[in-house]
Amino acid sequence: MLLHCLTLRFTDAATDADVEAFRDALAALPDQVPFPIRTRQGRDLGERPTNADYAVVTEFADADDFREYLRHPAHLAVPRDHVASVHSVQFVVGDGPTDA
């Protein structure tokens, strides 16, 4: 299994409605892509001042599904107007392929 983890910061102008629109678009992705994915996401709890504002972890069967996801129209349509920065990492867990 390939895990895609990202953390992001929203712009200062981002409203709660903007963050909710982002969350809702991500939550809808598993039903819109032609392969199984599992996404978990949420706002930072504020435990550390250096943390990002939001995190997303998405599970894919393999690197091919991940690459298809990146170009899928539903993923490209996720609203990013109020995203200031993104950091991501992908890695393989379990007995799956290691070509990530």
Side-chain angles (χ1 to χ4, degrees):
M1 170 189 339
L2 182 143
L3 293 181
H4 169 55
C5 304
L6 65 92
T7 59
L8 55 100
R9 288 194 180 268
F10 291 107
T11 65
D12 291 338
T15 65
D16 285 342
D18 296 324
V19 175
E20 288 174 20
F22 180 83
R23 180 200 62 214
D24 292 347
L26 287 176
L29 287 174
D31 293 330
Q32 296 175 329
V33 295
F35 43 81
I37 64 170
R38 178 178 180 194
T39 298
R40 289 175 261 176
Q41 60 176 313
R43 286 183 184 226
D44 180 59
L45 298 177
E47 298 294 324
R48 299 179 68 200
T50 57
N51 284 2
D53 298 325
Y54 205 87
V56 182
V57 177
T58 307
E59 299 173 3
F60 297 88
D62 55 38
D64 290 336
D65 284 355
F66 171 66
R67 286 188 284 269
E68 185 176 344
Y69 170 82
L70 291 178
R71 16 177 225 275
H72 193 278
H75 175 256
L76 296 173
V78 171
R80 294 172 175 86
D81 305 2
H82 295 284
V83 174
S85 66
V86 176
H87 295 276
S88 69
V89 62
Q90 299 78 40
F91 58 96
V92 173
V93 296
D95 296 331
T98 59
D99 65 343

